[in-house]
Amino acid sequence: MRVREAVSADWERIWPLWHRVVSTGETYMWDPATDEDSARAVWMLPAPAAVFVAEDDGRIVGTALLKPNQPGLGDHVANAGFMVDPDRAGEGIGRTLAHHVLSAARAQRYQAMQFNAVVSTNTGAIALWESLGFEIVGTVPGAFRHPTQGYADIHIMYRRLVP
């Protein structure tokens, strides 16, 4: 598997994965019915954001978005989103992408990384982030409408990137 920065032409291979993950309504705040143009507008952001893809035998099996968490005086803290092909869950793709994105964030001189809305029912993601040094610094009760589990909490997770 190879992780690299995405180019515009990758979108046609990112979109099916993005749509499949978001359309479940289980892990991201975006509307499960988000159309392709809107999805591209929120994922394929211009610099200083960067999009990465994980490829295996020429197939995109994961993607990640790295961007400032806030503009202006908050742009020293990174934010990131990760999506892995559900058929490839448990193969280490998310962890490989995470290591790559954390390295890229350090190279871009971000001081920390913050995830604003990790759904509490996404226990695999929470375990991954905690194993990589993130901690839950806040919880917003019932802030996510899960399609099968009702109102679920979201966690704000944080990790410093520099000593």
Side-chain angles (χ1 to χ4, degrees), residues 44-108:
M44 301 297 285
L45 299 174
V51 176
F52 301 93
V53 292
E55 289 182 310
D56 190 27
D57 290 327
R59 183 168 173 245
I60 291 178
V61 295
T63 184
L65 167 64
L66 172 65
K67 64 180 186 168
N69 190 52
Q70 297 293 333
L73 300 179
D75 67 359
H76 61 288
V77 176
N79 177 260
F82 298 83
M83 295 186 189
V84 171
D85 180 341
D87 294 335
R88 303 287 301 268
E91 294 182 21
I93 296 166
R95 182 173 298 278
T96 299
L97 271 169
H99 283 293
H100 189 90
V101 169
L102 286 166
S103 179
R106 284 187 201 93
Q108 291 184 28

Side-chain angles (χ1 to χ4, degrees), residues 139-155:
T139 299
V140 183
F144 184 80
R145 291 189 310 270
H146 194 281
T148 60
Q149 298 187 33
Y151 293 106
D153 298 347
I154 59 167
H155 299 307

Side-chain angles (χ1 to χ4, degrees), residues 11 13-24 28 30-36 38-44 60 63 65 83-84 86:
W11 177 251
R13 295 186 304 140
I14 294 171
W15 163 243
L17 170 62
W18 196 100
H19 177 67
R20 187 169 178 208
V21 170
V22 172
S23 69
T24 68
Y28 277 95
W30 291 305
D31 182 342
T34 300
D35 64 80
E36 184 176 359
S38 298
R40 184 179 185 136
V42 298
W43 196 256
M44 301 297 285
I60 291 178
T63 184
L65 167 64
M83 295 186 189
V84 171

Side-chain angles (χ1 to χ4, degrees), residues 37 64-65 102 113 116-117 132 135 139 161:
D37 289 340
L65 167 64
L102 286 166
M113 185 172 288
N116 300 321
L132 293 173
E135 62 182 303
T139 299
L161 297 177

Side-chain angles (χ1 to χ4, degrees), residues 27 82 115 118-132 134 157:
T27 56
F82 298 83
F115 301 138
V118 181
V119 181
S120 62
T121 57
N122 193 354
T123 56
I126 293 167
L128 172 61
W129 303 135
E130 288 180 334
S131 77
L132 293 173
F134 286 81
M157 299 188 77

